[in-house]
Amino acid sequence: ASSARNLDWTAAGDLTLTGNYSAVGTVELSSSGGAISQTGGSVTTDLLAAKSATGVNLGGANMINRVSRLQAVANDVALSNAKDLSITGDVAGRDVAITTTAGLLSVAPAGQVQATRDLTLTGATGFSSSSGAGGPVSSGRDLVVTATTGDAEAGWLTSSGSILVRALDGDAALRRATITGGGALEIA
C-alpha cells in the first residue's frame, strides 16, 4: 500500500505488516489490544507513529526519517531502519532496541526514549543525542549505546543498571549520566 499523503492502520487485535508500505507524510499504526509486527517488506515514510497494547516489532529494512511515537503499553519495542533515523518524540516499552543498519541514529532535544528494563540504541554510522525538553534517555536496567562506525555522542543517560557508551570505530563521549542502582559506567 502507498499514499501520496498519510497511511493509518488501526486494529483491535494484532496488526501484522507483510508487504511494502509507503507514505510521503506519516505512517500511523495502532493496535488497542494486540501487538504490531512486521513479517516481511518495509515501511518507507517521513514520520512513523506506532502504539500497541502488547509490543511493537518492526524488524524489516525500513526507510523511516523520523519517529514521533513508538510505544508498547506492555512488552517490548524493536525497530530496525536502513538509513538515518531521528527520534523526535516518545519511545517507550519494556525492553527497547532501536537500530540503524545504515546511517546515523539520533535522539532530538524533544525526543525521549525510556525502557522499563534494558535499552539498546545502535547507529551504523554513529549515534547522537541531545539533552532537551524530552529529558534523558533512560532504562530500568542496562543501557547500551553503540556506534558501529563513526562517533557515539550521548547527551544525558540515566539507568538503574549499567551504562555503556561505545564507538567501535570512532570516538565515544557522554555529557551527563545518572546511575541510581549499583551498575557501572563505561565509555569505550
Side-chain angles (χ1 to χ4, degrees), residues 43-178:
V43 175
T44 301
T45 188
D46 179 49
L47 186 67
L48 173 70
K51 183 175 183 179
S52 81
T54 61
V56 177
N57 186 349
L58 300 174
N62 299 301
M63 301 292 284
I64 300 162
N65 292 332
R66 299 176 294 139
V67 170
S68 67
R69 181 180 70 237
L70 188 60
Q71 301 171 332
V73 175
N75 296 335
D76 304 336
V77 169
L79 173 64
S80 181
N81 206 54
K83 63 178 287 186
D84 288 353
L85 178 67
S86 179
I87 298 170
T88 59
D90 295 332
V91 173
R94 184 177 60 186
D95 288 335
V96 174
I98 310 291
T99 301
T100 60
T101 58
L104 175 75
L105 176 59
S106 63
V107 180
Q112 185 173 353
V113 183
Q114 297 179 322
T116 58
R117 293 194 322 192
D118 294 332
L119 173 58
T120 304
L121 301 170
T122 304
T125 61
F127 174 84
S128 171
S129 71
S130 302
S131 300
V137 171
S138 64
S139 69
R141 292 196 313 205
D142 293 335
L143 193 160
V144 177
V145 169
T146 303
T148 307
T149 62
D151 297 337
E153 298 177 6
W156 180 14
L157 306 178
T158 182
S159 177
S160 295
S162 295
I163 295 175
L164 169 61
V165 178
R166 64 184 172 185
L168 302 180
D169 188 18
D171 294 325
L174 174 61
R175 287 184 210 79
R176 179 177 174 186
T178 304

